[in-house]
Amino acid sequence: MNLVKQSKRWARDTYYQAARSGGALTPVHNRLRRWHHKQRYGVNTDFMFMAVELEINSMCNRKCTYCPNVTDRRPGGYMSRELFDKIIAELGEMDFDGRVSYHFYGEPLLDKRLPEFVEHTKKVVPKSFTEIYSNGDFLNLESFREYLRRGLDNMLITQHDNVMPENLQAILDGATEEEKKKIVIRFAEDRYMINRSGLITDLAVIKEPLKVACTWPLHTMVITIEGNVVLCCNDYFETEVIGNVGDTSLKEVWSTPQFQKFRYALSTGDRTVSKLCHECDFVPEEDQLLRVVPGR
């Protein structure tokens, strides 16, 4: 790391340490970010979502041991085109510049509408970062290039067999250097697996809630096929439904007192706020935790 980067990092870390301290800078920081969110997105909140995860379909072709799909199955179905278009239109009105992805616990490539969904997202929300999370089983060079033509920014593949299959190797062999910049292939054995709020007991059983902040609900909105907004991506059974974007706007759901309460508690490290959080073993990276300034 060069001297300029070291200096910038030191300045950033020093700032956030002061903002988190509860001293004079804390209320100033909170007022400024709330003002920014209201001016930029029209949302009066300390925390703003910068990622939207859409469950366009709920089916998956695999049963991985570290996923709730190994023993249970979410109700099969697809997000309606009407609901999808409503969500994307609202993101477009917000001039949203965060990530849009197309998954919950299903395999998005099983949905034949996905290329069109990517294209529509990029057309209506041009500043968004479109990303597909996939197991890669149904991907080939031709289909990968089709997604890129439609406006995909990144294809993120997790290979659950921990080997490079022929279809993915063929993509790497045939893709141009520019195309390779838009595909990431990672192996499950190298991933930090979590217990999905206590559903995967082979990984960890939490008897007492961790006393550490959680960053997921602070910046990510998860929407199921029926339009339900859940607390976070670990709510496999939709036990903490905050609202529904089919009949309410994204902004309104994100700003509800219930969601504000959850986010404030989790920003302070209070995981007693929900049973989901009580049994969850997720710990954010240190760099992420450093920048968590409790809201109000």
Side-chain angles (χ1 to χ4, degrees):
M1 184 182 299
N2 61 40
L3 186 59
V4 174
K5 288 184 177 180
Q6 286 180 331
S7 298
K8 288 182 178 179
R9 181 163 186 169
W10 176 85
R12 184 200 65 188
D13 291 354
T14 301
Y15 171 83
Y16 277 108
Q17 287 170 357
R20 296 175 61 211
S21 68
L25 184 59
T26 304
V28 175
H29 175 85
N30 284 336
R31 284 197 296 270
L32 284 174
R33 65 176 172 178
R34 185 175 283 265
W35 175 85
H36 171 69
H37 294 155
K38 193 170 184 178
Q39 293 296 314
R40 173 67 177 81
Y41 300 106
V43 180
N44 187 24
T45 177
D46 286 324
F47 303 101
M48 182 59 196
F49 61 88
M50 288 309 300
V52 179
E53 298 181 352
L54 306 175
E55 184 186 30
I56 60 169
N57 70 286
S58 59
M59 292 76 74
C60 185
N61 61 303
R62 284 181 174 256
K63 288 188 175 184
C64 301
T65 58
Y66 37 81
C67 175
N69 282 334
V70 70
T71 55
D72 296 284
R73 287 286 174 176
R74 287 182 49 69
Y78 297 87
M79 178 178 286
S80 72
R81 182 61 195 253
E82 180 182 14
L83 176 58
F84 179 83
D85 285 348
K86 177 181 182 297
I87 294 169
I88 298 303
E90 290 185 23
L91 292 175
E93 291 169 3
M94 293 169 58
D95 196 25
F96 183 69
D97 56 0
R99 171 172 60 85
V100 177
S101 51
Y102 311 89
H103 70 284
F104 187 33
Y105 285 90
E107 167 51 51
L109 266 61
L110 288 173
D111 193 330
K112 302 304 181 184
R113 306 171 299 172
L114 185 54
E116 185 181 352
F117 280 0
V118 171
E119 183 176 22
H120 185 68
T121 302
K122 234 15 184 177
K123 178 181 179 180
V124 179
V125 199
K127 293 181 181 178
S128 65
F129 183 86
T130 53
E131 187 167 35
I132 294 174
Y133 287 61
S134 172
N135 58 38
D137 291 350
F138 304 103
L139 192 67
N140 56 41
L141 183 58
E142 181 182 359
S143 59
F144 172 56
R145 284 176 168 165
E146 174 66 14
Y147 283 114
L148 296 186
R149 284 193 294 270
R150 300 281 189 141
L152 184 69
D153 290 302
N154 191 54
M155 176 75 71
L156 180 58
I157 294 174
T158 302
Q159 221 308 306
H160 300 284
D161 297 323
N162 296 309
V163 295
M164 183 66 75
E166 291 184 4
N167 66 310
L168 297 184
Q169 187 60 57
I171 293 174
L172 296 180
D173 292 340
T176 67
E177 292 304 314
E178 283 302 309
E179 290 171 338
K180 289 178 184 178
K181 293 178 182 179
K182 296 192 175 185
I183 184 170
V184 175
I185 301 175
R186 58 191 187 181
F187 298 98
E189 62 185 1
D190 299 324
R191 301 297 302 154
Y192 165 41
M193 299 298 180
I194 60 176
N195 70 357
R196 295 298 174 184
S197 293
L199 292 179
I200 311 300
T201 55
D202 289 346
L203 292 177
V205 176
I206 303 297
K207 295 183 179 180
E208 295 294 333
L210 302 179
K211 295 180 181 179
V212 60
C214 180
T215 54
W216 267 335
L218 308 186
H219 55 59
T220 303
M221 177 178 277
V222 180
I223 306 174
T224 69
I225 54 174
E226 298 296 334
N228 288 332
V229 175
V230 292
L231 179 57
C232 83
C233 61
N234 290 320
D235 194 358
Y236 184 83
F237 291 112
E238 300 181 57
T239 60
E240 291 282 7
V241 176
I242 310 300
N244 188 285
V245 295
D247 50 29
T248 311
S249 72
L250 275 69
K251 294 180 183 180
E252 289 173 310
V253 174
W254 187 258
S255 303
T256 60
Q258 182 186 10
F259 220 163
Q260 302 269 31
K261 173 187 173 183
F262 278 131
R263 291 197 295 269
Y264 170 72
L266 291 170
S267 71
T268 64
D270 178 9
R271 297 200 180 192
T272 64
V273 69
S274 167
K275 187 175 184 294
L276 286 170
C277 308
H278 189 288
E279 299 182 9
C280 181
D281 68 339
F282 171 66
V283 177
E285 294 180 1
E286 188 63 33
D287 191 56
Q288 294 177 317
L289 285 174
L290 177 65
R291 284 177 276 177
V292 177
V293 179
R296 61 189 171 113

